Amino acid sequence: MPKLSLNPPPWLRTILIAGAIGLGAVLILFPAWLPDDTNAPIEDRAVEVMQSALLAFASALFFATAPHAGPFRAVYRSLGFLSVTLLIAEIEGAINEIIDPLRHEYLVVPILIWAGLTLLRRRRETLHFIGFASRHPASGFALSAIILVYAFAPAFGSRAFWKISLGATYDPEIPSICRAYLELLACYFFLLAAIGFCLPLVRRRYAMFTEP
């Protein structure tokens, strides 16, 4: 009697993964259905919390993966700290209040310098990781996050764009709402990129870096 396999065929696994990613992209928009509190800015509500949570989870993944990365431990630890800088930039308002009269830049700049120097000292491993990352599908999610933050968010978060598009029906909250949700989607893609870079390495150690 043939044994039943719990592993789906590759084509079905691909469809399931794509469906899960698409479903996640829809589910992260759930704050749009929450009751609106007009007394609080959009970035101080559920969207801001979700952005911070996604970035925190991504940084935690990099730090958790670092001990399993062998000679690439410093690279993954640096990626974790770079993710922390993104988190600090996201919650800069709260950070500025805590360390007043200093600014969040006093935390971000030293972390960036430390991470940059670490990657420079580990040039061989860094270049090897870049080569690995360039062939990995997770790079597409990372690139999508960058495009969303630096291209789509400024464009669709612009007041001029919506004033021209909507004319007399323009609502001043629309630009900030669009920018916030595009940044939330970018944080989700960044988390997917972190999962893509970390999960295979945890499963197979750092042997994948030596594959042709």
Side-chain angles (χ1 to χ4, degrees):
M1 182 176 180
K3 296 182 179 180
L4 295 176
S5 176
L6 298 178
N7 294 325
W11 64 268
L12 180 57
R13 185 163 58 247
T14 301
I15 293 177
L16 292 175
I17 292 175
I21 292 173
L23 180 61
V26 174
L27 290 179
I28 62 168
L29 301 179
F30 89 92
W33 304 100
L34 295 177
D36 186 29
D37 179 8
T38 56
N39 294 323
I42 184 68
E43 286 290 335
D44 291 336
R45 296 193 296 240
V47 175
E48 173 73 11
V49 173
M50 290 194 65
Q51 290 174 357
S52 303
L54 293 173
L55 292 175
F57 191 22
S59 61
L61 277 176
F62 283 122
F63 285 125
T65 304
H68 304 278
F72 302 92
R73 179 179 302 177
V75 176
Y76 273 80
R77 190 180 296 117
S78 298
L79 291 174
F81 279 112
L82 291 175
S83 301
V84 169
T85 61
L86 296 177
L87 176 60
I88 293 175
E90 186 61 41
I91 58 174
E92 60 180 81
I95 297 293
N96 290 338
E97 291 182 3
I98 295 174
I99 64 175
D100 185 67
L102 301 178
R103 303 282 296 175
H104 70 282
E105 288 86 354
Y106 286 88
L107 299 177
V108 170
V109 172
I111 295 176
L112 290 177
I113 293 175
W114 181 89
L117 292 176
T118 300
L119 294 176
L120 283 176
R121 287 198 301 268
R122 301 280 185 171
R123 287 188 296 273
R124 181 179 178 183
E125 290 82 1
T126 301
L127 292 175
H128 206 164
F129 176 83
I130 293 174
F132 155 74
S134 66
R135 304 189 303 269
H136 199 285
S139 298
F141 289 111
L143 182 60
S144 297
I146 294 174
I147 293 174
L148 283 172
V149 171
Y150 292 104
F152 286 96
F156 292 100
S158 168
R159 294 182 179 180
F161 173 83
W162 290 107
K163 284 181 179 179
I164 296 174
S165 301
L166 300 179
T169 60
Y170 168 75
D171 187 331
E173 285 195 3
I174 291 178
S176 61
I177 292 174
C178 289
R179 178 183 287 271
Y181 278 101
L182 285 172
E183 290 177 353
L184 176 60
L185 188 59
C187 292
Y188 174 66
F189 284 159
F190 182 76
L191 174 60
L192 291 179
I195 294 173
F197 290 137
C198 294
L199 196 58
L201 189 142
V202 172
R203 288 177 174 176
R204 301 170 57 191
R205 294 285 175 168
Y206 52 87
M208 67 167 138
F209 288 105
T210 62
E211 294 179 354

